[in-house]
Amino acid sequence: MSPDTSSTRPSNAQLADKTLNKKVDALLAKMTLEEKVGQLVQFSSGAPTGPGTCRQGYDSMIEAGQVGALLNVADPKKANAFQRIAVEKSRLHIPLLYGFDVIHGYRTVFPVPLGMASSFDPPLVEATARMAAQEASADGIRWVFSPMVDIARDARWGRIIEGSGESPYLGSAMARAYVQGYQGTSLSNPDSVAACVKHFAAYGAVVAGRDYNAVDMSDIMLRQVYLPPYQAAIDAGAATVMSSFNSLNSVPATADPYTLTTILRKEWDFNGFVVSDWGAVGELIAHGIALDDATAAQKAISAGLDMDMESGAYHARLVSLVRTNTVPESTVDEAVRRVLRVKNALGLFDHPYVNENVTPYQATAAKRMLARRAAEESIVLLQNRATEGQPKLLPIGTHVKTIALIGPLADAPGEMLGSWGGQGNPADAISLRAALEQRMKANGGQLLYAEGTQILTQSETGFDTAKQAAQKADLVVVALGEDAPAMTGEAASRAHLDLPGNQEQLLKTIVAVGKPVVLVVFSGRPLVLNWAAQHVPAIMEAWYPGIEAGPALANILFGNTNPSGKLPVSFPRAVGQEPLYLSQFPTGRPAAGVDLSHPPTDGVEKYVSRYIDVRNSPLYPFGHGLSYTEFSYSPVTLNKNSIPLAQIMSAPNHGTAQPVIQAATTVRNTGAVAGTEIAQLYIQIRGASVEEPVRVLEGFQRVTLQPGESKHILFPLSFNELSFINVKSQRVVEPADYTVFVGGSSTATQSAKFQIVH
Ligand code: BGC
């Protein structure tokens, strides 16, 4: 546990503090309407991150006070040049705010967020975000479009890579960690950056996993599953929010007063500002709720959307909307106040410039050390079977003198940076090939390398060479997966979730050689790995591990590091199972206990909630991940069997984080090597007024144990963990039966029961 430093962290309340914001009020009083609108306008200057040609010639607009923020400027000289115009030439000298997509590192690239979530290690995530903030702020960037906290339960959606997966509990823990890392101890520190929690709201639930598609869901689902990570980020002090591209229950999020005002401002008391996603104000026309950009601007600002990123609708229309009394000036004032408060909190009025004479970036030992640790903790060992009397295949033993490394991801440093690689440089990334070559040389062995195939091709011309390499080797490592820039991230939804191109064919060819095979998968989403799961003894999910990909993987393959990552998303057996996630509802005809491996034959098997051609369960479940050691769990104990409802409901705020009951277990390392286990706690509620999921993650702890060592661990449970949303959209506890499960994955079997009673 990291020490509680919450009192020294920037808070949402500070953004509304009247004394701290005297300067803002004084400034607002002097501003013309045009200058006010200027503060609500953001344009891109640099490599565009969305459709459309970016404007040019910002100098005169900045001088006229028509631009409040820019994005995609990643050069201190350029940042200072624009800033000089804003601060020295514009009438009121208001500094610009620079935003950038710093998603998993800026120059030092860490694992993609889905990989970081696999670490189940919030302090580690915080440390990576801190480093990213330091590097980005050195380039003049004081605002990052991160964290992306959209709960994603559909592996078809390309942007699943950008978030922390399917669980609101894990997602909230990660959301807090990112915000704390970015914003540091004070927003005014020159190396702090304002976080931007995105994409608000429920973007991860787009129909059929197709990017930018609509979202339609109940308020219970919204509040129970999708909203908690955004709220956690705001409670941690996130200074800004980005609205999402999707519509939510028929209202585009960019112009949704329910999410932007009722929930965000009124319920959560958010005092920062909201920026649209790229061009999204203008997209209200395509959504069909505006026939022109004036109506689009009017609907967005009235809903609570403060800043227009890139669409130009505020720039073009907002002044006249106010002049014609279509939008009250007080609405614009409120938005401007919010933007200026964030600029003020960042200290931009006092320190608008950045040092241009910085030493060029170096991936120093300290940076690499953090990147390697993050990569190691993000890698998930999916399976590691023993074959024909042999011990488990991994870690690789000393008898292995020749390794064949095969596959299109084996020597692809650029791919290791994943999507949204910030200002990362492929030259800083170490591939698996480079790391294994060095390792084998040091061991007196040799590495044979063959690409085998490309990521997206049907050509088999490389198969023979790959086969020959495999024949000469004691062991084969096959590195397969998706092409990060083309197949993951934004605008990269897939209807097929298998290994792309003919990679599975290559794998079959190599397995047929008969040598022990380890499969390393690089992907931005869960893939369907059925064939591999049956025929390849050892499989690792590496995601995209960042600049230290190769050394981290080598450490794990050889057992210098014991893997500890756990899946933050369920891996399907078939695309047709998607959206696939642990916390499904039980239904009135649960399929539990039915062997689904055969077509249903009798009435009992037929009339249950199931598919006739695939099992309901995932191939690899949420929370799953193996180690080179084994852990045992003692039976779960509770410090009480029942809790009176009144004890919880009568406490101020229902006692929110005050523990009302505690689960305990002893975790023991029963194997031969030291290892880290991520002990997980799941809750099932039965007997409440609404149907509750079969299991929900409500706690986890990292425990590092030497062989034979054990540790007694406690999971305190408070209103936060025990409550749920009722039909009135209220977060409540009710008299109900609770079962807690504790173990090393979501299939944990150790359980204990208690009740909440009248
Ligand atoms: C993405 C955002 C990103 C923005 C700015 C959009 O296309 O959806 O996540 O922050 O571009 O680059």
Side-chain angles (χ1 to χ4, degrees):
M1 277 285 182
S2 57
D4 178 18
T5 49
S6 47
S7 56
T8 60
R9 301 213 187 261
S11 78
N12 181 35
Q14 283 164 0
L15 291 171
D17 188 301
K18 288 218 162 45
T19 321
L20 292 177
N21 286 294
K22 275 192 181 134
K23 180 183 265 163
V24 166
D25 297 329
L27 204 50
L28 190 66
K30 286 193 235 160
M31 293 171 85
T32 63
L33 178 59
E34 287 78 1
E35 284 164 338
K36 289 176 186 173
V37 169
Q39 288 305 307
L40 309 182
V41 169
Q42 179 179 42
F43 285 117
S44 170
S45 173
T49 42
T53 326
C54 298
R55 288 167 188 251
Q56 300 293 328
Y58 292 120
D59 294 14
S60 56
M61 291 173 75
I62 295 169
E63 187 172 342
Q66 292 173 351
V67 180
L70 289 170
L71 76 152
N72 294 330
V73 175
D75 166 5
K77 287 199 176 63
K78 196 172 163 190
N80 277 351
F82 283 137
Q83 194 70 297
R84 241 171 255 122
I85 302 175
V87 172
E88 291 167 24
K89 294 198 177 160
S90 78
R91 191 179 74 93
L92 291 173
H93 319 293
I94 302 174
L96 295 164
L97 174 59
Y98 291 102
F100 200 84
D101 288 286
V102 178
I103 309 298
H104 50 110
Y106 181 65
R107 290 295 319 265
T108 305
V109 178
F110 301 104
V112 293
L114 198 57
M116 289 304 309
S118 307
S119 73
F120 281 67
D121 190 351
L124 170 72
V125 169
E126 181 176 337
T128 63
R130 187 86 288 276
M131 192 175 277
Q134 286 160 348
E135 292 178 1
S137 58
D139 268 1
I141 294 159
R142 299 294 307 282
W143 182 25
V144 295
F145 303 131
S146 173
M148 189 291 224
V149 304
D150 305 323
I151 293 297
R153 297 178 154 192
D154 193 327
R156 292 172 294 183
W157 191 49
R159 304 198 79 169
I160 194 170
I161 188 178
E162 292 177 53
S164 297
E166 68 178 57
S167 154
Y169 185 88
L170 178 63
S172 299
M174 292 298 164
R176 279 189 286 273
Y178 280 108
V179 172
Q180 290 168 353
Y182 290 137
Q183 299 196 164
T185 51
S186 165
L187 275 178
S188 65
N189 293 342
D191 67 357
S192 284
V193 295
C196 182
V197 52
K198 71 188 189 184
H199 306 82
F200 194 62
Y203 184 27
V206 284
V207 169
R210 206 184 71 215
D211 210 2
Y212 316 121
N213 206 356
V215 174
D216 199 310
M217 70 167 62
S218 71
D219 206 53
I220 292 185
M221 183 61 85
L222 180 68
R223 288 170 181 272
Q224 183 85 37
V225 173
Y226 288 84
L227 294 187
Y230 307 106
Q231 191 175 7
I234 285 154
D235 287 348
T240 76
V241 170
M242 186 186 293
S243 66
S244 54
F245 286 127
N246 56 284
S247 63
L248 175 62
N249 302 328
S250 305
V251 182
T254 310
D256 189 351
Y258 179 58
T259 47
L260 297 182
T261 297
T262 308
I263 293 175
L264 193 56
R265 269 59 181 261
K266 295 199 176 136
E267 292 183 24
W268 298 352
D269 204 21
F270 172 63
N271 298 310
F273 73 83
V274 180
V275 65
S276 76
D277 204 339
W278 178 286
V281 177
E283 289 171 18
L284 295 176
I285 300 170
H287 274 287
I289 68 156
L291 297 178
D292 52 42
D293 62 350
T295 317
Q298 179 248 317
K299 289 202 170 183
I301 190 116
S302 308
L305 193 285
D306 302 305
M307 186 183 281
D308 173 358
M309 179 197 288
E310 195 53 34
S311 96
Y314 280 16
H315 171 69
R317 302 293 177 194
L318 211 40
V319 169
S320 65
L321 285 166
V322 173
R323 293 254 152 81
T324 55
N325 294 323
T326 316
V327 169
E329 186 157 357
S330 59
T331 304
V332 171
D333 284 354
E334 182 52 26
V336 174
R337 212 174 273 125
R338 288 171 177 278
V339 171
L340 293 181
R341 282 170 178 172
V342 170
K343 289 187 177 182
N344 189 32
L346 285 166
L348 281 175
F349 288 100
D350 300 321
H351 303 286
Y353 300 114
V354 63
N355 179 8
E356 289 178 25
N357 303 313
V358 279
T359 36
Y361 174 78
Q362 284 282 331
T364 58
K367 288 177 188 285
R368 287 202 175 274
M369 213 199 300
L370 183 62
R372 186 176 309 182
R373 198 181 123 215
E376 288 173 353
E377 288 194 24
S378 74
I379 291 161
V380 185
L381 181 61
L382 296 176
Q383 66 183 43
N384 187 19
R385 278 201 298 258
T387 43
E388 292 148 25
Q390 299 295 311
K392 288 180 176 169
L393 190 51
L394 293 176
I396 297 173
T398 45
H399 63 281
V400 173
K401 296 291 177 218
T402 304
I403 291 183
L405 174 66
I406 294 169
L409 273 303
D411 192 20
E415 290 281 352
M416 300 300 104
L417 307 183
S419 55
W420 293 115
Q423 288 294 96
N425 184 349
D428 291 327
I430 304 172
S431 71
L432 185 51
R433 180 185 183 187
L436 286 186
E437 236 152 34
Q438 201 189 32
R439 176 77 59 140
M440 293 312 280
K441 216 156 139 198
N443 290 351
Q446 63 167 334
L447 184 80
L448 308 172
Y449 164 75
E451 189 183 22
T453 188
Q454 291 171 351
I455 297 175
L456 270 170
T457 180
Q458 294 304 329
S459 161
E460 296 189 359
T461 49
F463 279 29
D464 275 350
T465 322
K467 218 159 92 181
Q468 283 156 21
Q471 278 157 351
K472 287 186 215 139
D474 304 318
L475 179 140
V476 190
V477 177
V478 185
L480 306 178
E482 298 180 288
D483 177 22
M487 306 186 72
T488 75
E490 189 176 350
S493 295
R494 293 183 65 194
H496 302 282
L497 293 178
D498 37 15
L499 287 163
N502 60 3
Q503 295 183 78
E504 188 160 302
Q505 208 45 50
L506 174 69
L507 183 65
K508 288 178 180 167
T509 308
I510 300 304
V511 168
V513 172
K515 298 292 171 72
V517 174
V518 181
L519 170 62
V520 181
V521 179
F522 297 89
S523 67
R525 51 159 67 78
L527 296 179
V528 172
L529 299 170
N530 297 330
W531 191 88
Q534 275 179 32
H535 299 96
V536 182
I539 307 180
M540 245 178 232
E541 175 60 58
W543 311 113
Y544 298 100
I547 59 168
E548 282 289 300
L553 281 161
N555 275 349
I556 288 187
L557 287 167
F558 286 92
N560 309 79
T561 300
N562 194 348
S564 59
K566 301 278 186 178
L567 291 179
V569 276
S570 307
F571 271 49
R573 298 172 191 274
V575 187
Q577 290 178 297
E578 296 290 341
L580 179 67
Y581 49 95
L582 168 72
S583 299
Q584 305 202 358
F585 293 116
T587 81
R589 294 187 177 192
V594 177
D595 178 3
L596 299 172
S597 55
H598 301 291
T601 48
D602 64 42
V604 176
E605 286 192 347
K606 183 170 173 67
Y607 294 105
V608 295
S609 179
R610 57 169 291 178
Y611 301 99
I612 57 166
D613 49 5
V614 69
R615 300 167 74 141
N616 283 6
S617 64
L619 180 62
Y620 300 113
F622 178 87
H624 167 77
L626 302 175
S627 162
Y628 295 149
T629 188
E630 313 259 305
F631 300 97
S632 72
Y633 287 78
S634 73
V636 185
T637 57
L638 297 168
N639 63 343
K640 53 183 85 154
N641 300 325
S642 69
I643 311 163
L645 181 65
Q647 186 197 323
I648 305 175
M649 295 309 275
S650 61
N653 266 337
H654 311 316
T656 41
Q658 284 305 313
V660 287
I661 188 167
Q662 197 159 269
T665 185
T666 299
V667 189
R668 180 180 298 277
N669 180 344
T670 58
V673 290
T676 297
E677 169 71 322
I678 293 153
Q680 301 157 44
L681 175 135
Y682 296 85
I683 287 184
Q684 180 191 64
I685 307 174
R686 292 183 61 81
S689 60
V690 287
E691 185 170 13
E692 285 297 307
V694 289
R695 274 182 197 204
V696 180
L697 179 77
E698 290 294 356
F700 61 83
Q701 287 193 34
R702 294 177 62 81
V703 202
T704 299
L705 297 170
Q706 298 303 314
E709 194 188 356
S710 61
K711 191 172 174 204
H712 191 60
I713 55 170
L714 303 175
F715 289 97
L717 301 173
S718 67
F719 177 81
N720 284 347
E721 289 80 29
L722 303 179
S723 58
F724 53 88
I725 307 294
N726 68 10
V727 288
K728 292 183 186 150
S729 297
Q730 297 157 329
R731 182 162 280 282
V732 292
V733 290
E734 294 175 356
D737 288 358
Y738 282 73
T739 309
V740 299
F741 300 87
V742 176
S745 89
S746 58
T747 57
T749 48
Q750 298 282 5
S751 68
K753 289 180 189 297
F754 69 94
Q755 290 180 313
I756 293 183
V757 293
H758 270 301

